[in-house]
């Protein structure tokens, strides 16, 4: 159900987004989200029967707001594996700063909150599938390094592009966004593309 066609659902998603982003590591309760959205708890549960579904829907709502599907179009339309790899890294690199607040909150919450853990795991699986597609495109072209199987190459790319890597380099070490993106792309090429320097 599109959030544009259901204003109550949209209010709930916006409220969850704001609470998750504004209180890092704090387990947003359904009652708090309902109150912020101006709906009853019963109405909230009619739209989202549990917090896992609400948290996943909130992150997907963010994808809608930030036009993620449109931004991934270049990667999906790439005619070579190297072009797909580069476009995917560029898209993800630009997206991480936008979602960092809520993502960090879900990561912290995931240590003690099963709903947050499931929501974050689902979203990271989505990101991993993008890594897998880029690696498969390299393999299709015969351009994947023989140092790794496709699964291992996917593991490596997924880890290199993790939110924690971005946080370490950009937030903690002070790298600018352009240097982060260029470095991740360079490292990915060197590791995964056959014959890359």
């Amino acid at each position: 159900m599109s959030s544009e066609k259901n204003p109550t659902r949209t209010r709930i998603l916006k409220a969850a987004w704001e609470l998750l982003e504004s209180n890092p590591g704090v387990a947003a309760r359904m009652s708090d989200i309902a109150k912020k959205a101006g709906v009853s708890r019963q109405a909230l549960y009619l739209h989202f029967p549990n917090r896992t579904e609400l948290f996943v829907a909130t992150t997907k709502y963010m994808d809608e707001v930030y036009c993620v599907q449109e931004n991934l179009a270049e990667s999906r339309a790439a005619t070579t594996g190297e072009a797909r790899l580069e476009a995917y890294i560029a898209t993800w690199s630009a997206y991480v700063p936008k979602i960092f607040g809520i993502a960090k909150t879900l990561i912290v919450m995931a240590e003690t909150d099963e709903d947050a853990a499931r929501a974050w795991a689902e979203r990271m699986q989505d990101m991993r599938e993008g890594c897998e597609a880029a690696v498969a495109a390299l393999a299709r072209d015969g351009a994947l390094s023989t140092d790794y199987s496709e699964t291992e190459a996917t593991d490596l790319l997924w880890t290199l592009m993790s939110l924690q890597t971005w946080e370490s380099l950009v937030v903690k070490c002070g790298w600018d966004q352009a240097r982060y993106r260029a470095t991740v792309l360079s490292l990915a090429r060197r590791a995964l593309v056959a014959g890359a320097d």
Side-chain angles (χ1 to χ4, degrees), residues 85 89 148 156-157 160 165 169 175 180-193 196-197:
L85 177 69
I89 290 172
Y148 306 101
L156 184 59
L157 181 59
L160 183 60
T165 300
L169 293 175
W175 288 29
Y180 162 79
R181 173 183 162 180
T183 300
V184 170
L185 179 58
S186 175
L187 291 171
R189 280 182 174 149
R190 289 180 193 179
L192 303 180
V193 179
D197 296 322

Side-chain angles (χ1 to χ4, degrees), residues 106-122:
L106 288 175
I107 289 169
V108 171
M109 287 174 62
E111 294 179 14
T112 57
D113 188 299
E114 288 183 21
D115 295 316
R118 282 195 297 269
W120 184 245
E122 180 176 317

Side-chain angles (χ1 to χ4, degrees), residues 3-171:
S3 49
E4 291 179 3
K5 296 176 183 173
N6 191 320
T8 301
R9 184 176 190 274
T10 300
R11 283 204 324 272
I12 293 167
L13 293 170
K14 286 180 177 178
W17 182 349
E18 187 174 327
L19 284 172
L20 287 168
E21 197 165 53
S22 65
N23 298 299
V26 175
R29 298 178 306 179
M30 293 294 263
S31 58
D32 296 332
I33 294 167
K35 182 177 179 181
K36 183 149 193 75
V39 301
S40 67
R41 288 185 66 187
Q42 182 180 7
L44 176 62
Y45 281 106
L46 285 173
H47 289 276
F48 302 101
N50 57 60
R51 285 194 319 155
T52 300
E53 288 189 30
L54 175 55
F55 290 167
V56 170
T58 301
T59 61
K60 290 185 177 180
Y61 175 67
M62 293 173 71
D63 289 350
E64 287 178 36
V65 169
Y66 291 129
C67 304
V68 167
Q69 294 306 314
E70 292 86 343
N71 294 334
L72 286 169
E74 181 182 352
S75 172
R76 291 174 176 156
T79 57
T80 69
E82 286 191 65
R84 182 160 194 163
L85 177 69
E86 181 173 352
Y88 189 66
I89 290 172
T91 298
W92 176 250
S93 297
Y95 193 44
V96 172
K98 296 175 182 175
I99 64 164
F100 177 69
I102 192 169
K104 180 68 174 177
T105 298
L106 288 175
I107 289 169
V108 171
M109 287 174 62
E111 294 179 14
T112 57
D113 188 299
E114 288 183 21
D115 295 316
R118 282 195 297 269
W120 184 245
E122 180 176 317
R123 295 321 315 273
M124 287 301 90
Q125 180 58 36
D126 292 342
M127 194 270 269
R128 183 182 172 85
E129 288 171 6
C131 294
E132 189 175 39
V135 167
L138 287 171
R140 176 202 67 214
D141 293 350
L144 181 63
S145 170
T146 56
D147 291 344
Y148 306 101
S149 68
E150 284 189 49
T151 299
E152 291 170 335
T154 299
D155 295 341
L156 184 59
L157 181 59
W158 185 61
T159 302
L160 183 60
M161 293 175 61
S162 72
L163 184 122
Q164 291 87 342
T165 300
W166 180 89
E167 180 185 18
S168 293
L169 293 175
V170 177
V171 176

